[in-house]
Amino acid sequence: MIWNRQYECMEREELRKIQGERLSAMVSRVWNTVPFYRRRLQELGIEPGDIRSMDDLPKLPFTTKQDLRDNYPFGLFTVPQEGIVRLHASSGTTGKPTVVGYTKNDIAMWSEVVARSLTMAGVTRSDIIQVAYDYGLFTGGLGLHYGAETLGASVIPISGGNTKKQLQLMEDFGSTVLACTPSYAAFLGEAIIEEKIQKEHIKLKAGIFGAEPWTEGMRTEIERLLGIKAYDIYGLSEIIGPGVSMECRCQTGMHIFEDHFIPEIINPDTGEVLPYGELGELVFTPATKEAMPLIRYRTRDLTRLHAERCECGRTLVRMEKCVGRTDDMLIIRGVNVFPSQVEAVLLEMSETRPHYLLTIDRMHNLDSLEIQVEVEESFFSDEVKELEGLRKKIQSAIGSMLGISSTVRLVEPGTIERSMGKAKRVIDNRKR
């Protein structure tokens, strides 16, 4: 099923022409309304008339999260306050919050791309969607909510947490689609088993999961626990929120809605634009956004783009699952380490659960890595030898993947703190 065939299946040359027109109009708009961008463009000797097509995109400067913080709260808005109908913001735990605003047309566009996303996962107006993303300043809950209503589906706006109520409504209301973080989906799957809820009482058929990196192993685990097909959705509030891209039934990457969000992959060190297929940092230009249309926003997410036509019929570029973030990447004894690499190893093993915690310390100028791993309860028996064998097996597999040694500590199910939102995977004591 395809929600908007005109734009989702458009020939790429025609799409590129439309992107160029929208880019040119957007640059003129920010030149006239945002002093920050006017100054930045003048420093590069660029005027709006110099940006006439997509070929001119690499001439433009990048925008970073620090630029949003420096212009806190409304310095990058292109419309006066009376044109803003919604404000969202980050938690600000690592600095000033990043604030994003939406006009009425922005909300309509956001709802449209989420409706496209849900349709990709086979969701129809006959479905009941349990939205267990947080509502409020975080964009996850309201983003899915408005898109689901645009689609015409029934929405349960339960937000995150309150797991017993989640399970009760899942049974009583017959929810057919679950939307939340993948780690909370796994937690809900375990809770169904612990509460001894009969599988035939759960009507779920699909899950829409995002807001944190997750591996193919985690997908398999969630599908096993919940008996559903799990789909990946991607988004970030600086661009719009959830619905920037989404997997179709072919699950060969997430289709980016390029008529609104122009993607690039760059070398994170040099800023050089990389060709399709190469791993690099994802950059977006949301050319149709009215309230805050950023120019070449650096997401810090690492992925690849693929432009081949998909078997589903869509011509939109696909992005691979993000393997990590440039600012989440850990450097341990000179080696680049992403938590998702550890997760991939753990979820290939039937003995482990999808819950782990990396702790990095530094003593006498030497980094050390400890990995706590939850394993199935059956392994915590009197057979110490068996448990030690499993520990060595995991330690060896992770060592082969990362290229560095680590200490693996096996813990009982439920030991590692659960999150109702994004899971905490790393404690880096070197930063204290």
Side-chain angles (χ1 to χ4, degrees), residues 112-139:
E112 148 85 12
V113 293
V114 173
R116 292 185 194 179
S117 302
L118 294 171
T119 304
M120 280 192 192
V123 182
T124 71
R125 58 186 306 173
S126 300
D127 282 301
I128 300 174
I129 304 179
Q130 188 159 327
V131 179
Y133 283 113
D134 284 341
Y135 280 63
L137 288 177
F138 176 60
T139 53

Side-chain angles (χ1 to χ4, degrees), residues 81-243:
Q81 186 274 326
E82 54 265 35
I84 302 294
V85 300
R86 174 92 65 80
L87 291 166
H88 282 280
S90 69
S91 60
T93 52
T94 57
K96 278 186 179 178
T98 53
V99 180
V100 288
Y102 302 80
T103 65
K104 190 174 180 181
N105 286 336
D106 289 335
I107 296 294
M109 180 269 282
W110 190 9
S111 302
E112 148 85 12
V113 293
V114 173
R116 292 185 194 179
S117 302
L118 294 171
T119 304
M120 280 192 192
V123 182
T124 71
R125 58 186 306 173
S126 300
D127 282 301
I128 300 174
I129 304 179
Q130 188 159 327
V131 179
Y133 283 113
D134 284 341
Y135 280 63
L137 288 177
F138 176 60
T139 53
L142 284 166
L144 262 294
H145 184 109
Y146 276 70
E149 287 191 345
T150 297
L151 178 67
S154 302
V155 181
I156 305 173
I158 190 169
S159 193
N162 203 351
T163 299
K164 285 189 181 295
K165 179 67 76 176
Q166 299 270 2
L167 300 182
Q168 181 194 344
L169 298 190
M170 204 177 282
E171 278 192 279
D172 295 348
F173 290 6
S175 308
T176 56
V177 179
L178 173 66
C180 62
T181 59
S183 56
Y184 191 49
F187 182 58
L188 285 171
E190 292 175 340
I192 288 172
I193 295 170
E194 289 165 6
E195 295 292 328
K196 296 183 171 53
I197 296 173
Q198 298 297 313
K199 282 198 172 179
E200 57 267 28
H201 292 173
I202 301 296
K203 307 298 183 190
L204 290 177
K205 66 175 188 180
I208 313 295
F209 305 127
E212 64 184 14
W214 56 305
T215 60
E216 288 302 317
M218 179 67 97
R219 187 204 300 274
T220 302
E221 181 68 5
I222 291 171
E223 290 182 340
R224 181 186 71 81
L225 288 167
L226 291 172
I228 61 171
K229 192 170 179 65
Y231 292 89
D232 204 350
I233 190 170
Y234 174 88
L236 62 169
S237 61
E238 294 90 333
I239 303 304
I240 194 71

Side-chain angles (χ1 to χ4, degrees), residues 13 65 83 121 129 148 160 178 183 185 194 221 225 275 312 332 337 353 386 428:
E13 276 306 310
K65 180 165 283 191
I129 304 179
L178 173 66
S183 56
E194 289 165 6
E221 181 68 5
L225 288 167
C312 74
I332 303 174
V337 174
R353 286 187 160 202
E386 188 175 355
D428 191 345

Side-chain angles (χ1 to χ4, degrees), residues 140 234 390 407:
Y234 174 88
L390 174 60
T407 301

Side-chain angles (χ1 to χ4, degrees), residues 234 264-283 298-306 319-326 338:
Y234 174 88
E264 299 172 275
I265 291 289
I266 64 166
N267 180 319
D269 297 323
T270 66
E272 174 196 6
V273 178
L274 301 176
Y276 290 130
E278 289 202 20
L279 180 66
E281 181 182 343
L282 184 59
V283 172
R298 296 185 61 160
T299 67
R300 299 292 180 188
D301 287 326
L302 295 170
T303 185
R304 295 181 178 85
L305 299 181
H306 300 283
M319 57 179 278
E320 293 182 4
K321 268 183 179 296
C322 296
V323 298
R325 291 174 53 80
T326 56
F338 293 101

